[in-house]
Amino acid sequence: MRPTTNNLLSFIGKIAVVTGAGAGIGRAIALRLAGAGATVAVLDKDEQQARQTLEAITQAGGTGCSWSADVGNGPAVTNIFQEIAVTFGRVDILVNNAGIYPVAPIDELSDELLDKVFAVNLRGALYCLREAGRQMQGGGVIINISSIDSLRPSAPGLGAYGASKAALNALTRSAAVEYGPRGIRVNAILPGVIVTEGTSIMPDEARQFYASRTPLGRNGVPDDIAGAVLLLASPLACFVTGQTLIVDGGFTING
Ligand code: NAD
């Protein structure tokens, strides 16, 4: 019998780097990839949270290492990818998940905050993508965690955030074109509202509003995004590149 679909969702022997893996969506992605057999480099600006994710991975029988750095710091990212190369030999999968979404109306948006949002959400993703791309000489997979806010604002005050994620979508397409000939696929996932540590400050009414407008009847959980990451990272998606996959329970198509 030929290999089954299940084998195609195995990541045994793969080296995956997940940024912002200390909490929320990133932690779920790291745990899922490790659960499917990948060795996971857990990267987060919060050293303790990165270690906690690694502990959860090893307690579940998986393998990995943790590093702490701000992805918006180019030299720090270069150093970490060098350390990852020394530790694991290469990178097969990169998930650019680290991101911030401060709420600030355009009238009140300071230059500092604008710089910070772009430093983390765009430049941070680019730094990691560039370093991973250099190591992926035999092909690879890069997944950028964008947002439905890159397509249309889900609330006022997310102008800088939406713009940074729209730029990330553009970077995804450019990287797919440049890296395709080397066998590297680059895609973006655009989550809807996902209940995480970061969105815990959202008022209950807002949470209920989004759920009520979502055809699947609920807000997302981190594992909803982790599942889509596994799909795009797997050979099942071997001819998919340069795409932006919305994972929002149908929210954006609902009027
Ligand atoms: P979160 O705030 O719950 O967790 C983010 C993690 O990233 C934290 O561990 C944090 O320490 C880390 N991090 C933040 N800045 C970093 C930096 N500069 N360098 C390294 N690590 C950093 O966030 P989340 O809700 O899980 O969101 C994760 C990603 O998903 C973000 O890119 C976000 O824009 C995107 N997203 C989230 C939602 C949502 O509703 N939660 C919706 C759409 C898109």
Side-chain angles (χ1 to χ4, degrees), residues 19-27 43-46 49 69-72 96-101 119-121 145-149 161 165 168 189-199 202 222:
T19 72
I25 294 170
R27 175 173 285 186
L43 204 158
D44 202 284
K45 73 172 171 27
D46 187 312
Q49 283 180 204
D70 175 351
V71 292
N96 268 321
N97 165 81
I100 53 172
Y101 35 87
V120 179
N121 295 359
I145 305 299
S146 178
S147 169
I148 57 169
D149 276 85
Y161 175 66
K165 293 294 192 178
L168 183 60
I189 290 175
L190 280 54
V193 174
I194 309 295
V195 180
T196 64
E197 287 86 336
T199 55
M202 185 185 280

Side-chain angles (χ1 to χ4, degrees), residues 36-217:
T39 295
V40 180
V42 172
L43 204 158
D44 202 284
K45 73 172 171 27
D46 187 312
E47 191 176 355
Q48 199 186 345
Q49 283 180 204
R51 265 203 235 109
Q52 283 170 0
T53 297
L54 181 62
E55 269 168 37
I57 286 173
T58 51
Q59 270 166 22
T63 54
C65 255
S66 70
W67 277 272
S68 79
D70 175 351
V71 292
N73 179 337
V77 168
T78 300
N79 284 340
I80 283 181
F81 273 85
Q82 277 167 2
E83 286 180 25
I84 290 171
V86 169
T87 308
F88 298 125
R90 63 174 196 287
V91 173
D92 300 304
I93 299 164
L94 165 68
V95 184
N96 268 321
N97 165 81
I100 53 172
Y101 35 87
V103 177
I106 292 164
D107 278 347
E108 294 162 27
L109 184 60
S110 66
D111 291 357
E112 289 73 24
L113 188 60
L114 183 61
D115 284 347
K116 190 163 180 214
V117 169
F118 272 79
V120 179
N121 295 359
L122 180 64
R123 289 212 330 261
L126 195 150
Y127 293 149
C128 294
L129 181 147
R130 192 168 58 189
E131 293 298 335
R134 286 173 180 154
Q135 289 191 28
M136 290 176 171
Q137 293 306 325
V141 176
I142 296 173
I143 297 171
N144 296 322
I145 305 299
S146 178
S147 169
I148 57 169
D149 276 85
S150 64
L151 304 177
R152 65 174 211 187
S154 58
L158 290 169
Y161 175 66
S164 72
K165 293 294 192 178
L168 183 60
N169 296 352
L171 175 66
T172 300
R173 291 186 279 266
S174 287
V177 168
E178 290 186 28
Y179 288 176
R182 284 163 43 200
I184 302 171
R185 295 187 296 106
V186 189
N187 290 291
I189 290 175
L190 280 54
V193 174
I194 309 295
V195 180
T196 64
E197 287 86 336
T199 55
S200 61
I201 53 161
M202 185 185 280
D204 278 349
E205 310 82 68
R207 213 184 285 279
Q208 282 159 15
F209 168 77
Y210 289 118
S212 71
R213 296 287 297 273
T214 300
L216 290 182

Side-chain angles (χ1 to χ4, degrees), residues 5-16 29 32-40 63 90 92-93 95 141 143 185 226-237:
T5 314
N6 288 343
N7 301 116
L8 295 174
L9 285 168
S10 166
F11 289 85
I12 292 170
K14 299 289 182 191
I15 310 297
I29 293 168
R32 271 275 198 142
L33 282 167
T39 295
V40 180
T63 54
R90 63 174 196 287
D92 300 304
I93 299 164
V95 184
V141 176
I143 297 171
R185 295 187 296 106
V229 166
L230 253 69
L231 179 64
L232 280 180
S234 81
L236 288 169

Side-chain angles (χ1 to χ4, degrees), residues 147-148 150-151 188-192 225 228 243-253:
S147 169
I148 57 169
S150 64
L151 304 177
I189 290 175
L190 280 54
I225 305 305
Q243 299 306 304
T244 47
L245 176 66
I246 297 173
V247 182
D248 69 347
F251 175 77
T252 44
I253 51 146

